[in-house]
Amino acid sequence: MRMSCLRATTLALVLAGSVALAAHAAATPPTEFPPGAFPSTYQPLPAQVTLIEHATIYTGTGERIDDGAVLLRDGKIAAIGKQVDAPAGATVIDAKGKYVTPGLIDVHSHLGVYPSPAVESTGNGNEMTNPNTSQVMAEHSVWPQDPGFNTARAGGVTTLEILPGSGNLIGGRGVVLKNVPATTVQAMKFPDAPYGLKMACGENPMRVYGSRHQFPSTIMGDVAGYRQAFADAQAYDREWKAWEAKGKAGPPPKRDLGKETLAEVLDGKIRVQMHCYRADEMAQLLDVAHEFGFTISAFHHAVEAYKIPHLLAKTNTCAAVWADWWGFKMEAWDGIRANLAMTDAGGACAMIHSDDENGIQRLNQEVAKAWAAGLRAGLHISKEHAVMWMTLNPAKALGLADRIGSLEPGKDADVVLWSADPFSVYARTEKVFLDGAVVYDRADPARQSKSDFMLGSFIGPHAAKPDKATDATATATGEGTR
Amino acid sequence: MKYLVMLLALLCVACSPADHSDGQTGAVASTATADTHSGTWAITGGTVYTLGAAGKIEHGTVLIKDGRIAAVGTDVAIPADAGRIDATGKVVTPGIFDPESQFGVVEVGAVRETRDGSAGDSRFSAAFDVAEAINPRSVLIPVNRIAGVTRAMVSPTNGGKRIIAGRGAIIDLGSTEGFIHRDPAAMFATLGESGARQVGGSRAAALLALREALQDARDYADNASAYAKNQRRSYALSMLDLQALGPVLDGKQPLVIEVNRASDIEAALRLAQDFKLKLIVSGGAEAWMVADELAKAKVPVMLNPLEDLPAHFETLGSTLENAARLQKAGVLIAFATGDTHNARNVTQAAGNAVANGLPWLDALKALMLNPARIYGMDQDLGTLEQGKLADVVVWSADPLELSSAADQVFIAGRKIPMVSRQTMLRDRYLQEMQGKQALPAGYIVPAAQ
């Protein structure tokens, strides 16, 4: 009930419209501007050398290893293959009958900026006071006590990008987080991850501002708004470069935080990730990006990506989509379940995203639905390939594909151990590793983080605890029909 | 005076629940969908979950005739003129019954003109009957029925400043004629945070408003003629609203109350006891905390089994184990995700309930049988048993599994074309992608049958 009620509201429509921005290449230096601002204080949790063996491993590179093993050491994937020897003192997990994937990655989340509980004072995701708020940064709104971080972690999500909402043409910077429990957002910040810039197509900005009789109130107004913002950023960039060319003589130009962000987009340090539903609007935005010489990392939501995979492939732009959301507004009217599979089959980089505090807990199930819809459409995509939709492809969109998203030696040891094939509705995470440390263990309450917010809600004498396990939890299988 | 009599006559029709579940409407619609088998179908070879006394039948046959199930078993004589569906290796179940939906009263969520589920700022509350607004040609219906959703309660939603949303109707998703199965089928109201918001004050004020409405309705029922002669006190609700509450007070029509916090559920239980109401809890995020009281009062709960976050202060106790715990305590449960566009995803929700402790067969019943029991429709629906309406789904495999699909759906015996606007969009752009068509995609129009 809640979902549809929410979707009927402007707020939720704005929520369901965010885009993230991921900066380009790993070759570029950290993008903090000025250098060193808002540094990450993330530290991996204590970890043991761990060997998971006899598992079915979806590597995240499109391959599957049956009866395989993966070694986690010093926070990195140390080895992977059919046979890996356990170093002395290693914790060995016999995963016979179980499955292993890379940690799941969500490029589109509003955890912390639209947290639970959803009350007026916690909704901090949309600075809807100007259609261009490129100066704001989502990390300054993130509430680390959002209980949704914990449920997402229990669902296997190890990396997520928190984005501003989509009420504005340019909503501000997103932030990439390691999904560890923390008291400050700095302690969750993915070290040296490129920044993203959230932009939004279509109905949301024009509804927010049009309803106030302000600019923009039409889609052509939307497009003019992006163009003017980038034209202004070009001028700003020239101002600074001229000052630098003169040996930085005299006082520097005045900093403009918004134009500074857009100038970094133009420099390729911050890549745009853009909320955009319709095929025709995505095509328009690709032309805008071309005009100003930047790249759109991914269109988010992209319910019509299946109509234009060739355009996306040509511009190296990914599509981050839901499995089956549709119909909650006009621009979502043409959503179909085969979207992800068709976009992938058409040659574009495609992935799942959540944009939702419930959906993020089950990204594997969303991928499974999208994969099955592909099969029914006659697209024979392997499961091992489809696993990339929640691992390597989102890592690419975040500009982090050299560090996370697949189980390859040297990459961060973000790993999920599943009770069964994660394409099954009955599969559950058993253990989640982040940089080699167990950050979630279904069998060990000591490794199940609880938010400060959740403490003390159900103190006795008579209240039962909401996380009390039932006797029946062990038998989670279908009744012989599978 | 003449006007009043006419009005009362009209109301009479509106107030008495009308059942239109005879096979006649089905037969008409069958003809309309070019059914060449006179409404006789034999589904053979499948694993049949009857959800009735016969339990599971391997290699069973389900025989459908004139809109109803004529026989189920392993030794069923198949008439020569019967159309045949080979379900070997597949699973056969009753159809899914969505117990709380907006089918036919919403098309595009954000397009106001397509939303008719709420009385909104109009003067009406209890008298509002959503049935009058239902569009059986909604695009949402084929999208969901080809995924196994065959029947639905169309429920009014709260709007304006009223805690009583009005009356819902049960519809069949397989026809554009005679699609109203029962109307009015239930009364809907809200308490807790939502109720407090509607009345602009405390949740206690919301409860009081509901009590006042019920007391007024009772007083009106006892003194209708005095009221008509202006010899009775004034009431908080209009006469139409008071009349509509009559069957609720008589215990003939269930009252669905949206309520989540444990203490709010307890307040609703007290209200139901005071007025001897047939209460159904909707939402019930913390219902598991008062499961024993619900079981004792025989009050069913319609819940979303995926709800596990403290999205509101009244849902701090949300847990994925809500369904399992309620079931274990003996509470009758049904699944309502509240997302009508994707009502089809209720199978995924049910699968997750199973992953969190609910026995698989109970999950199937929560999808297919329990809504019929909750609304008192299980004479006609909910199981694959002789004489019941033939809402039947042939699944490729386990209905709850993500990779499974409904291969064929029957609704009241009508063989449903397994096509929706979404499959047509898919097929149009698949053909374009495959380059088989030289002209733009706009010229590719996949078959609608």
Side-chain angles (χ1 to χ4, degrees):
Chain A
M1 269 133 259
R2 177 153 299 115
M3 191 185 282
S4 64
C5 292
L6 270 177
R7 282 188 198 165
T9 69
T10 300
L11 174 66
L13 292 169
V14 167
L15 272 173
S18 337
V19 169
L21 153 71
H24 256 300
T28 55
T31 58
E32 286 98 322
F33 191 94
F38 312 111
S40 167
T41 59
Y42 167 76
Q43 292 292 326
L45 273 58
Q48 293 180 315
V49 179
T50 305
L51 179 71
I52 304 171
E53 57 181 11
H54 306 306
T56 302
I57 302 175
Y58 292 125
T59 61
T61 58
E63 283 119 48
R64 190 185 76 219
I65 305 172
D66 295 325
D67 192 16
V70 57
L71 179 65
L72 287 49
R73 189 169 56 201
D74 301 328
K76 304 290 178 193
I77 304 294
I80 178 167
K82 293 289 283 184
Q83 172 73 38
V84 177
D85 292 330
T91 301
V92 178
I93 298 170
D94 181 357
K96 193 167 166 31
K98 296 174 182 173
Y99 284 68
V100 167
T101 67
L104 308 189
I105 302 168
D106 190 357
V107 296
H108 196 121
S109 169
H110 299 296
L111 289 179
V113 299
Y114 281 113
S116 303
V119 296
E120 206 174 333
S121 60
T122 62
N124 287 300
N126 259 313
E127 182 56 46
M128 290 184 288
T129 49
N130 192 294
N132 174 6
T133 55
S134 42
Q135 72 273 30
V136 306
M137 301 168 73
E139 66 199 77
H140 298 142
S141 274
V142 170
W143 182 47
Q145 294 301 331
D146 183 350
F149 286 116
N150 293 323
T151 47
R153 191 181 312 112
V157 174
T158 51
T159 302
L160 67 171
E161 181 166 48
I162 310 302
L163 295 166
S166 56
N168 293 340
L169 299 175
I170 304 177
R173 293 194 195 206
V175 62
V176 181
L177 301 179
K178 295 258 191 187
N179 194 7
V180 287
T183 310
T184 67
V185 77
Q186 289 91 330
M188 302 174 77
K189 254 183 110 169
F190 199 117
D192 301 329
Y195 271 113
L197 179 72
K198 170 68 176 288
M199 292 177 60
C201 282
E203 291 184 24
N204 287 358
M206 62 187 243
R207 180 175 49 245
V208 169
Y209 294 95
S211 65
R212 303 173 191 168
H213 303 292
Q214 292 172 13
F215 178 89
S217 66
T218 60
I219 292 177
M220 60 187 174
D222 287 355
V223 174
Y226 317 126
R227 295 179 69 224
Q228 191 60 57
F230 280 103
D232 291 349
Q234 282 177 327
Y236 179 79
D237 204 34
R238 280 196 297 272
E239 217 180 317
W240 275 85
K241 286 193 172 128
W243 177 71
E244 284 165 6
K246 286 181 205 155
K248 302 187 178 180
K254 186 186 171 202
R255 282 180 70 193
D256 180 304
L257 300 181
K259 288 174 187 161
E260 192 170 282
T261 294
L262 298 186
E264 288 195 30
V265 170
L266 295 171
D267 282 351
K269 290 179 185 167
I270 298 179
R271 291 200 313 189
V272 173
Q273 312 232 16
M274 181 144 201
H275 157 123
C276 214
Y277 286 76
R278 272 170 29 189
D280 58 317
E281 287 190 71
M282 288 188 262
Q284 300 283 11
L285 263 295
L286 289 173
D287 280 354
V288 171
H290 180 72
E291 179 186 4
F292 291 93
F294 64 88
T295 306
I296 294 172
S297 172
F299 286 117
H300 292 218
H301 311 334
V303 301
E304 295 187 9
Y306 66 96
K307 299 181 182 178
I308 50 160
H310 55 288
L311 272 186
L312 300 173
K314 200 169 77 180
T315 53
N316 203 20
T317 299
C318 298
V321 306
W322 300 290
D324 49 20
W325 287 22
W326 75 285
F328 42 96
K329 51 181 166 173
M330 275 312 291
E331 62 192 5
W333 190 234
D334 285 3
I336 64 170
R337 270 183 164 169
N339 187 24
L340 212 172
M342 285 173 66
T343 305
D344 182 298
C349 154
M351 72 196 77
I352 203 77
H353 73 355
S354 80
D355 189 24
D356 182 77
E357 65 277 15
N358 287 299
I360 195 173
Q361 301 177 38
R362 286 170 286 277
L363 291 176
N364 60 309
Q365 296 183 14
E366 299 305 301
V367 161
K369 284 190 290 182
W371 169 79
L375 276 188
R376 283 194 290 281
L379 303 172
H380 292 278
I381 296 167
S382 68
K383 286 181 180 175
E384 39 272 38
H385 179 88
V387 164
M388 294 197 292
W389 298 344
M390 54 184 171
T391 56
L392 193 58
N393 291 359
K396 281 180 191 163
L398 296 178
L400 292 169
D402 56 333
R403 295 169 63 183
I404 56 172
S406 62
L407 303 177
E408 296 176 278
K411 281 194 159 182
D412 292 357
D414 297 351
V415 178
V416 184
L417 174 64
W418 302 88
S419 64
D421 188 343
F423 285 75
S424 167
V425 75
Y426 308 114
R428 297 207 294 179
T429 57
E430 290 199 346
K431 285 184 169 62
V432 181
F433 298 86
L434 208 165
D435 286 324
V438 178
V439 292
Y440 176 78
D441 187 336
R442 191 171 297 276
D444 180 5
R447 290 287 171 140
Q448 298 172 9
S449 177
K450 290 242 180 317
S451 155
D452 288 353
F453 179 73
M454 294 308 291
L455 294 183
S457 291
F458 301 99
I459 295 171
H462 300 299
K465 290 198 302 183
D467 56 348
K468 181 188 71 176
T470 55
D471 302 336
T473 48
T475 52
T477 55
E479 204 228 42
T481 61
R482 287 173 296 129
Chain B
M1 190 64 204
K2 196 173 170 187
Y3 174 73
L4 184 66
V5 172
M6 258 175 59
L7 196 59
L8 286 171
L10 281 170
L11 284 169
C12 209
V13 175
C15 289
S16 56
D19 264 37
H20 315 284
S21 53
D22 58 288
Q24 291 310 310
T25 47
V28 171
S30 275
T31 317
T33 53
D35 175 4
T36 54
H37 293 284
S38 317
T40 304
W41 293 95
I43 302 167
T44 60
T47 300
V48 181
Y49 289 90
T50 65
L51 307 190
K56 177 169 89 170
I57 301 170
E58 298 284 4
H59 309 293
T61 295
V62 178
L63 185 67
I64 299 169
K65 203 165 166 21
D66 298 332
R68 292 195 178 253
I69 294 170
V72 180
T74 51
D75 188 23
V76 174
I78 300 172
D81 65 340
R84 286 176 180 252
I85 306 282
D86 182 5
T88 305
K90 299 182 179 183
V91 173
V92 184
T93 71
I96 293 168
F97 187 153
D98 185 336
E100 227 179 329
S101 80
Q102 292 280 288
F103 279 114
V105 291
V106 68
E107 208 65 16
V108 184
V111 176
R112 177 68 199 87
E113 298 84 346
T114 72
R115 289 202 313 267
D116 287 303
S118 166
D121 294 328
S122 72
R123 292 186 295 113
F124 305 106
S125 61
F128 175 69
D129 189 336
V130 78
E132 304 292 352
I134 296 170
N135 171 21
R137 295 170 186 83
S138 164
V139 159
L140 280 70
I141 289 175
V143 166
N144 286 286
R145 73 182 176 196
I146 67 170
V149 183
T150 57
R151 214 154 285 256
M153 165 67 86
V154 183
S155 48
T157 55
N158 282 91
K161 294 193 183 305
R162 292 180 168 76
I163 56 166
I164 301 176
R167 299 175 291 180
I170 289 166
I171 64 166
D172 139 355
L173 299 183
S175 178
T176 53
E177 297 164 32
F179 57 91
I180 302 271
H181 188 161
R182 177 182 287 178
D183 172 57
M187 184 70 69
F188 289 79
T190 185
L191 288 174
E193 287 182 11
S194 157
R197 200 165 45 243
Q198 307 292 340
V199 299
S202 158
R203 64 224 304 132
L207 195 64
L208 198 57
L210 188 50
R211 280 185 180 272
E212 180 183 47
L214 292 166
Q215 280 170 5
D216 282 1
R218 176 158 291 165
D219 191 83
Y220 170 81
D222 293 344
N223 303 283
S225 56
Y227 180 85
K229 289 181 215 147
N230 249 341
Q231 291 169 353
R232 200 66 197 169
R233 66 177 171 90
S234 66
Y235 297 120
L237 300 182
S238 76
M239 186 180 69
L240 297 190
D241 292 327
L242 296 170
Q243 287 171 339
L245 284 169
V248 175
L249 284 166
D250 295 344
K252 287 178 187 155
Q253 196 180 96
L255 174 64
V256 180
I257 300 185
E258 184 196 350
V259 70
N260 283 291
R261 200 171 77 181
S263 59
D264 291 330
I265 297 171
E266 290 174 313
L269 285 172
R270 288 193 294 273
L271 179 83
Q273 192 174 26
D274 290 351
F275 287 91
K276 297 188 170 46
L277 306 174
K278 199 189 275 182
L279 175 66
I280 299 169
V281 166
S282 164
E286 295 187 350
W288 65 274
M289 292 179 174
V290 290
D292 292 339
E293 294 164 64
L294 287 162
K296 199 174 146 205
K298 292 188 166 51
V299 169
V301 177
M302 308 191 296
L303 70 143
N304 177 359
L306 296 181
E307 202 173 347
D308 69 343
L309 281 167
H312 306 280
F313 273 87
E314 66 183 357
T315 64
L316 293 181
S318 294
T319 166
L320 294 174
E321 294 180 4
N322 196 12
R325 293 177 192 173
L326 287 168
Q327 172 75 26
K328 201 175 173 206
V331 178
L332 187 62
I333 57 167
F335 297 141
T337 64
D339 181 357
T340 303
H341 287 86
N342 275 329
R344 56 190 174 176
N345 281 345
V346 74
T347 52
Q348 178 187 4
N352 278 275
V354 173
N356 287 282
L358 183 69
W360 183 86
L361 197 60
D362 288 323
L364 225 55
K365 288 178 181 171
L367 287 174
M368 299 157 183
L369 170 59
N370 296 356
R373 292 180 61 193
I374 286 171
Y375 289 124
M377 311 282 286
D378 49 329
Q379 292 279 29
D380 268 328
L381 293 166
T383 63
L384 299 181
E385 292 177 298
Q386 188 179 1
K388 292 218 176 172
L389 284 168
D391 288 8
V392 187
V393 183
V394 181
W395 304 89
S396 62
D398 178 356
L400 307 191
E401 194 51 281
L402 302 161
S403 51
S404 301
D407 284 345
Q408 185 56 58
V409 175
F410 291 86
I411 303 178
R414 295 181 294 276
K415 184 166 177 260
I416 298 298
M418 299 302 282
V419 179
S420 71
R421 180 169 180 274
Q422 294 194 359
T423 65
M424 293 172 76
L425 276 166
R426 177 195 69 189
D427 294 344
R428 162 177 280 188
Y429 285 95
L430 269 175
Q431 284 183 45
E432 189 189 54
M433 196 195 292
Q434 289 157 356
K436 289 177 189 162
Q437 165 87 356
L439 295 172
Y443 291 100
I444 305 169
V445 182
Q449 287 290 322

